[in-house]
Amino acid sequence: MSHAINNLLTAMADDALIQGHRNSEWTGLGPVMEEDIAFSSMAQDKIGHAWALYRILQEDLGGSDPDHFAFLRNEKDYRCCHLAEQPNGEYDFSLLRHFLFDHAEAVRYGRLEQSTFAPLQPLARKLKGEIKYHLLHANAWVSQLCRAGDESYARMQAALNRCFPLALGLFEPQEGEEELMAAGVYPGEKALQAEWLDRIYNILSPAGLNLPGVEAVTPAYGGRRGYHTEYLQPLLDEMGAVFRTDPEAIW
Amino acid sequence: MVNREQIYKALEQVMDPEIPVLNVLDLGMITTVEPAADAVLVKMIPTFAACPAVEIIRRNIVTVLEKELHVPVTVEIDRVAHWSSNRMTPEAREKLLNFGIAPPQVHNGEAYSEILLQTPCPHCHSRNTYLRSPFGSTLCRAIHFCKDCGQVFEHFKPLE
């Protein structure tokens, strides 16, 4: 079972790391100062969450040093979803991605509080509380920008249409998932996705946005098996550039 | 042998690098203090998971305690205990307010969006305020605006 837990935690951690890196790319470029600070803070949170998960991999599952694991793997050994890999693009895309991503994390950590894998319980509880601030930010912007005139509304709907199939990749079936479900480690991707769809519908619908049907789109799968978009390798090159100059340096 | 009282006394001198008026006890970061014959063990929990000051605080605890108590000190991160802003002492809230940062509201499971409304302004105490951003200059702070005194102010966010 440790192999399956390893897969699950690596996927969760890699999602947080890559999404955190994308958030950090708004530092210095945010449209207003508060937004610059918000994405920078969320970057710091996400990368901290990734680190905490890599640390569980190291201490409880015999994994390697979190920094080495985060920065020195080959592209195909990462397990992040395609949603997080996408470049930031316009602000509408970044916000909608952040909205879909953080609701997915909230659902996941909410369920992991009851995980039978003990090290996850305290961490899930902690992260869930912090992610609530990310949701507060995302929900406020999604609701307001959908009511801010025709162009703004059209951009939000277009961003949702683009993000939605990518976001379904957050719930790509995991190798060894049934084993984890049977052992009570977590309820499985299908159950998480259903809960997530309910949650986001309840916010998107009052904002007037049409959530595409799950059956009508092709989910962007592949990330959990190491198949990535063309955007991941350049991101990894940049993210690890300083670390690779001297992997043994103490910061 | 070193006693608990001496350890707590020494811990009062270890301040948070980001909010220098608060010590680690004020913040509720210390979960265990264990004096032994020739050593001291302290366990601590970070406030936010990604708090960059944790390692500095850990080192500061070792340095200050070893200097005051003259015994080897070990500081461990407590992996089980949960930090919530309700762990902050009433004295800590008072100190924060005097420092110009609105203290976290004591929370009881309410949604953050509710708690954060009308956070009292630390400058003029008005409740005629609004949340400008749930993020601020450090991970633990939000930014509000006071419509009465016209000033932006910071708020130590409540955290479950």
Side-chain angles (χ1 to χ4, degrees), chain A residues 7-61:
Chain A
N7 279 336
L8 177 67
L9 295 195
T10 304
M12 285 162 48
D14 287 351
D15 274 356
L17 178 70
I18 302 304
Q19 184 59 54
H21 185 80
R22 286 298 185 212
N23 286 349
S24 80
E25 291 177 339
W26 278 113
T27 303
L29 299 173
V32 293
M33 197 185 68
E34 285 86 345
E35 284 307 282
D36 199 300
I37 293 170
F39 269 96
S40 306
S41 298
M42 291 188 289
Q44 198 180 339
D45 275 336
K46 294 287 181 235
I47 291 166
H49 297 173
W51 180 81
L53 289 162
Y54 292 139
R55 181 111 188 211
I56 291 181
L57 282 171
Q58 179 189 26
E59 291 181 352
D60 298 290
L61 297 161

Side-chain angles (χ1 to χ4, degrees), chain A residues 181-214:
Chain A
M181 287 159 69
V185 172
Y186 92 130
E189 299 300 326
K190 237 191 170 121
L192 296 179
Q193 179 177 304
E195 197 178 327
W196 172 76
L197 283 168
D198 272 350
R199 283 180 68 129
I200 60 172
Y201 177 80
N202 287 330
I203 294 161
L204 296 174
S205 176
L209 291 183
N210 297 312
L211 188 61
V214 175

Side-chain angles (χ1 to χ4, degrees), chain A residues 111-168:
Chain A
R111 299 299 289 263
L112 287 172
E113 264 185 293
Q114 287 93 43
S115 176
T116 52
F117 182 57
L120 271 177
Q121 294 166 10
L123 185 71
R125 185 174 172 206
K126 177 124 203 92
L127 269 46
K128 195 183 88 172
E130 298 185 10
I131 289 163
K132 281 193 176 177
Y133 280 106
H134 299 205
L135 298 179
L136 187 64
H137 178 262
N139 293 350
W141 278 113
V142 166
S143 302
Q144 288 176 74
L145 289 176
C146 288
R147 296 177 176 90
D150 292 345
E151 187 194 346
S152 180
Y153 173 78
R155 277 173 169 258
M156 295 306 275
Q157 181 66 56
L160 176 60
N161 294 348
R162 196 177 142 219
C163 285
F164 187 66
L166 290 162
L168 290 174

Side-chain angles (χ1 to χ4, degrees), chain A residues 231-243:
Chain A
Y231 305 115
L232 183 61
Q233 186 60 55
L235 180 153
L236 296 175
D237 291 343
E238 184 180 290
M239 184 172 72
V242 175
F243 185 79

Side-chain angles (χ1 to χ4, degrees), chain B residues 82-104:
Chain B
H82 178 75
W83 189 87
S84 126
S85 55
N86 283 357
R87 289 181 65 99
M88 281 175 73
T89 60
E91 296 77 40
R93 291 168 202 278
E94 189 69 28
K95 287 184 199 170
L96 264 181
L97 192 62
N98 294 333
F99 190 58
I101 297 178

Side-chain angles (χ1 to χ4, degrees), chain B residues 48-75:
Chain B
F48 280 66
C51 177
V54 172
E55 189 47 34
I56 300 169
I57 296 172
R58 202 187 65 78
R59 272 191 307 222
N60 288 351
I61 294 175
V62 173
T63 311
V64 170
L65 263 53
E66 288 188 343
K67 179 167 157 276
E68 293 296 318
L69 308 172
H70 311 290
V71 290
V73 173
T74 307
V75 180

